[in-house]
Amino acid sequence: VQLVESGGGSVQAGRSLRISCTASSLTYSYSTYFMGWFRQYPGQEREGVAGVTASGDATDYATFVKGRFTISRNNARNTLTLQMDSLKPEDTAMYYCAAGPGYIAPRLLLSSSSYAYWGQGTQVTVS
């Protein structure tokens, strides 16, 4: 499984940015993988930002992004998107896309140990 993130960059505080992830080399259909976005500050562990179940019927968000970020998936295009609005300087981090096969309880979507596959990350800088 390969995950490639795109869309990162630099933006002013209060503005919006959309990052995307495209999945390929999948063993099974993309629609059978739950997906998530994580971020990492230098020297710190990755933290869950948002996650979505395989079917897209459930999502979860970290408290610090609720109401500002929206996760969505397109199972026909094998893509995952994170729409980030009202960005803050503290949102500056490396953002990673992650995938895991099968069913997951929504409460586990923000746990990095739930995921088997990771992208290389895309940098988001808010100033």
Side-chain angles (χ1 to χ4, degrees):
V1 176
Q2 292 188 339
L3 302 173
V4 178
E5 300 95 338
S6 62
S10 297
V11 65
Q12 291 184 330
R15 303 297 291 270
S16 299
L17 194 65
R18 178 181 296 179
I19 57 177
S20 298
C21 171
T22 300
S24 61
S25 301
L26 299 167
T27 303
Y28 305 103
S29 170
Y30 177 70
S31 63
T32 65
Y33 293 83
F34 57 89
M35 302 293 295
W37 286 103
F38 290 75
R39 69 186 188 188
Q40 188 172 25
Y41 301 114
Q44 297 189 27
E45 294 186 357
R46 291 178 188 178
E47 60 181 5
V49 174
V52 59
T53 55
S55 65
D57 62 347
T59 58
D60 197 15
Y61 293 91
T63 302
F64 51 81
V65 302
K66 279 184 178 178
R68 299 191 298 124
F69 292 10
T70 303
I71 189 171
S72 61
R73 64 186 298 157
N74 186 322
N75 285 348
R77 297 187 175 186
N78 291 8
T79 58
L80 181 75
T81 299
L82 186 68
Q83 176 68 39
M84 303 182 289
D85 299 323
S86 303
L87 282 161
K88 305 175 181 180
E90 51 263 44
D91 293 319
T92 296
M94 185 71 78
Y95 284 73
Y96 295 90
C97 172
Y103 171 79
I104 187 173
R107 62 182 175 83
L108 297 177
L109 282 168
L110 300 184
S111 174
S112 60
S113 61
S114 299
Y115 294 82
Y117 308 102
W118 295 85
Q120 293 299 306
T122 186
Q123 178 68 37
V124 172
T125 302
V126 185
S127 60

